Structures are given as C-alpha cells and as structure tokens.
Amino acid sequence: MVLIKVHACGVNPVETYIRSGTYARKPALPYTPGTDVAGVIEVVGERVTKFKKGDSVFTNGTITGGYAEYTVAAADTVFPLSDKLDFKQGAAIGIPYFTAYHALIQKGHAKAGETVLVHGASGGVGIAACQIARVYGLKVLGTAGTEEGMNIALRNGAHKMFNHREADYVDKIKEFVGGQGVDVIIEMLANVNLATDLKLLSPQGRVMIVGSRGPIEINPRDTMMKESSIIGVAIFSATKKLMHECEAALLAGIEAGWLKPVVGLEYPLEKAAEAHENLMNSSGALGKMVLLI
C-alpha cells in the first residue's frame, strides 16, 4: 500500500447514494467517502517498488476514503500522474473514465462506425464517454440541460448535442438518426429515460445503465422486435482482468493526449456536504466536481 497526501478528490454521485444509505453496497462504519484522488506519495509500503516518496499520482480505489488530507490505497490501484494533467484533472479520472470505458467498450461492445447517445454528456462520466467514443471511431450524440453544457460536450468529442429540457428533444434525435436508430445509449438517469431509450435503439441496440435514482415502468415488448439489450454497469463489479484492460487503455489515452478531464465546480473539503447537495440538485453538470484539500 501507499500513503497519499491528497491534493484533490473527485465527487461522484455514488458517494451521495452510499451516504444516504440507498446504495446496494454499504460500507463498514465509520465511513469516509471518496474513491478518486490525486496527490503526492508520502510513504510506500515495504513491498512497493514502482513508487517512491514525492511521486505525483492518482488512484481509483482508496482504502480509507478520499475526503481527507491523507489516504491509503493499494499500490495496484495507483498510477503515475502525467505532467500533462494537474491534480484536479487527476482526481477526475477514476470512476468517470473507468466507468465510461467499461460501459462503452467492455460491456457495450461499441464498435467504430456505430452511433452512441450519451445522456448527461456534460458531466464527468458523460465527457469521458464522449472522448472515448470519438477516439474509437463512433458517431457521438449527447444530451445536456444547458447551452454551456452542450458546448462543453461538443468540444470534447460529441458530433451533435440535444437539449433534454426541450419537450421535443427525443423527436429531434429520431429525426437526426433517421430509421436506423442508436446502437448504444449510455444512460445516467434510467428512472427517467429508459422507456424512451428503448424506442430510440437500433436493431441489436444496447442501453448501458450507468445511473438510476429510482424505479421505472417499461414495456418489455419494446425490446423484442429489435432484440435489444438493457445492461447494468457498476465499475465496482468489474473483474480484475477488465480493470487492467481499462487501465491500459486509459493510460494510453493520457499519453496520446485525448484523455483530458474537464473540471467543473470546485469546493474546499469542509464544504463536502454542500458539494453533495449541489451534485444532486444542480440544473446541469459542467465537468467533474472536485474537492480541494
């Protein structure tokens, strides 16, 4: 293991679900939230050889929690932080990019030439999905709730954006894709959109459920004629082999320069509760929310 002096920590929706007690995975108490941090190695365990004190790193798997001045992480979940990225960007890689790659490529089997629709394309996972989809050769569509959010997604890989606050935005998507439909949908709010998603899919299309805040009623017949799939995604459930594949692809993305996290709202650590409140109730995400320590 290594001890990291935390400079920045990403704020993820899953942390608000865990904190409220509504998430399936309940931690042992006392619980310190925070999975994704970036900072500087303070101490390394005696068997750790790939890092040393003073190295700038990021992790996607703290053991003791990231909403803290220091955190402990297993060395195999820690990665060198490129000098192309700052600590805030380093804290925005973990859950967003690993989730987006896992959903789009590993579980969604998205292929070059297919069309992907990213709901909530201006948030942390959404921007990650747009960047990954674009570099892997997909036609990238997205939704966001503000003009600024739509522009952020367009600057980060989306070919075409739709404002989900417009009453007819689904009709506009249907018109844009024509009769062929959408091959893969990255869904952040399944309790609102899933029934509509099924009508947007192409034959053999896949909805990847990354987030949901409650139940929804769907008509299973909407999956039958197209033989479409609804696939749940949780990065915490990915096997070690899949995680290693994610690591290789994403570290290559940093090196190549296409993986560039967009940092949104920043809060000091003592305002973590306010950050959670804003994350769940904001009018629209604009990049990745981070805590600065």
Side-chain angles (χ1 to χ4, degrees), residues 167-186:
D168 62 343
Y169 87 96
V170 174
D171 293 329
K172 289 181 177 179
I173 295 173
K174 286 179 179 177
E175 183 181 346
F176 185 81
V177 298
Q180 69 185 71
V182 176
D183 298 300
V184 182
I185 297 177
I186 305 296

Side-chain angles (χ1 to χ4, degrees), residues 36-55:
D36 306 333
V37 308
V40 176
I41 298 241
E42 191 76 12
V43 181
V44 298
E46 60 182 24
R47 297 179 189 171
V48 176
T49 57
K50 66 176 183 175
F51 296 110
K52 64 183 186 303
K53 179 179 169 66
D55 286 349

Side-chain angles (χ1 to χ4, degrees), residues 253-278:
I254 294 172
E255 189 179 337
W258 61 258
L259 194 160
K260 288 187 177 178
V262 176
V263 176
L265 292 173
E266 303 170 12
Y267 292 84
L269 179 59
E270 59 269 22
K271 292 192 175 178
E274 184 181 325
H276 277 205
E277 188 73 24
N278 193 318

